[in-house]
Amino acid sequence: KQEVTQIPAALSVPEGENLVLNCSFTDSAIYNLQWFRQDPGKGLTSLLLIQSSQREQTSGRLNASLDKSSGRSTLYIAASQPGDSATYLCAVILGGSARQLTFGSGTQLTVLP
Amino acid sequence: DVKVTQSSRYLVKRTGEKVFLECVQDMDHENMFWYRQDPGLGLRLIYFSYDVKMKEKGDIPEGYSVSREKKERFSLILESASTNQTSMYLCASSLPATSGQGGNQPQHFGDGTRLSIL
């Protein structure tokens, strides 16, 4: 069964720092990997989706990479801002199902002004 | 922008009641999903639907059923609510997978319904 792990569970950084969030998965036969952001008491906002044939995706200050062979993905946030404070979740879809996401437990990020 | 709307942000019901959670999306998405989110357990898939009147069980379907009579609406039903169903419920929708290797569409989520069963 696919397991998705995110380390660290919580991270606190000063404003302006570049940071990396980590996601690992046990079954490398994934279809794609998606990064989400969740603000307290809210739903999930899709940030980036990386297909299995891709190695990275970029959106503004965010860059997500994917290494299927090692079962890892990273989310890089450049020049962090207090507004980036949220919980970041990664999720994978296994090849074949093309529908069902398996989520990690998230990294709670706090960016201090 | 995709809009996924869940009918209630907060809901309080009693044990044994039949509870309906409604979700509507406005982007003509074929796929719709219901998750619950609990501290320490993360998000878990309850049911999903890839077409009108079609449904498939997710990881934790026990105690729940769903209804998809129209493409834009996906309802989650707690047949007889129990206290262990107190949770945050999240609905999502997506387009079907595109052709080609690795092609797929992101899931878009609603704001969630925080359900308390007393």
Side-chain angles (χ1 to χ4, degrees):
Chain A
K1 183 184 173 184
Q2 176 75 278
E3 291 184 5
V4 180
T5 304
Q6 292 185 248
I7 295 173
L11 181 63
S12 184
V13 300
E15 182 177 4
E17 269 203 13
N18 302 324
L19 60 101
V20 175
L21 306 181
N22 297 296
C23 173
S24 61
F25 44 93
T26 53
D27 188 339
S28 62
I30 64 169
Y31 207 48
N32 65 37
L33 183 144
Q34 196 169 353
W35 281 94
F36 294 89
R37 167 189 174 135
Q38 186 175 31
D39 293 291
K42 294 275 194 170
L44 278 66
T45 300
S46 178
L47 297 174
L48 290 164
L49 182 149
I50 310 177
Q51 297 177 5
S52 60
S53 58
Q54 298 174 324
R55 293 193 63 85
E56 65 179 315
Q57 281 284 341
T58 298
S59 176
R61 294 184 294 109
L62 305 179
N63 176 276
S65 67
L66 174 64
D67 185 342
K68 274 183 59 176
S69 60
S70 67
R72 293 184 181 183
S73 175
T74 60
L75 179 66
Y76 175 82
I77 303 177
S80 59
Q81 303 170 357
D84 294 331
S85 298
T87 296
Y88 290 82
L89 297 149
C90 71
V92 299
I93 290 182
L94 282 178
S97 72
R99 298 187 184 101
Q100 184 167 346
L101 283 169
T102 300
F103 282 85
S105 52
T107 294
Q108 186 174 353
L109 173 65
T110 302
V111 180
L112 304 169
Chain B
D1 276 354
V2 177
K3 184 117 177 106
V4 179
T5 303
Q6 295 184 230
S7 54
S8 305
R9 290 297 310 277
Y10 301 94
L11 205 54
V12 180
K13 296 290 183 181
R14 297 210 171 269
T15 303
E17 280 193 63
K18 190 169 186 176
V19 181
F20 293 86
L21 302 183
E22 305 289 345
C23 176
V24 176
Q25 48 91 7
D26 65 357
M27 287 302 293
D28 204 34
H29 285 175
E30 279 77 3
N31 298 333
M32 295 190 74
F33 309 82
W34 274 107
Y35 297 87
R36 63 178 283 177
Q37 185 176 29
D38 301 286
L41 297 175
L43 277 94
R44 294 176 291 168
L45 182 66
I46 305 171
Y47 267 98
F48 65 98
S49 167
Y50 51 89
D51 202 352
V52 176
K53 297 191 184 296
M54 304 300 290
K55 61 184 180 184
E56 287 194 29
K57 294 180 180 179
D59 294 325
I60 50 165
E62 297 78 19
Y64 303 93
S65 63
V66 289
S67 172
R68 184 113 182 255
E69 295 296 319
K70 293 183 179 181
K71 191 175 185 181
E72 68 270 18
R73 185 181 296 270
F74 192 35
S75 303
L76 180 69
I77 303 157
L78 285 65
E79 297 290 343
S80 178
S82 63
T83 54
N84 63 11
Q85 293 177 309
T86 291
S87 185
M88 173 73 141
Y89 289 87
L90 292 162
C91 174
S93 72
S94 73
L95 289 168
T98 58
S99 60
Q101 182 188 12
N104 211 324
Q105 302 293 328
Q107 291 189 16
H108 299 270
F109 282 75
D111 281 341
T113 296
R114 189 164 293 282
L115 175 64
S116 296
I117 306 296
L118 305 179

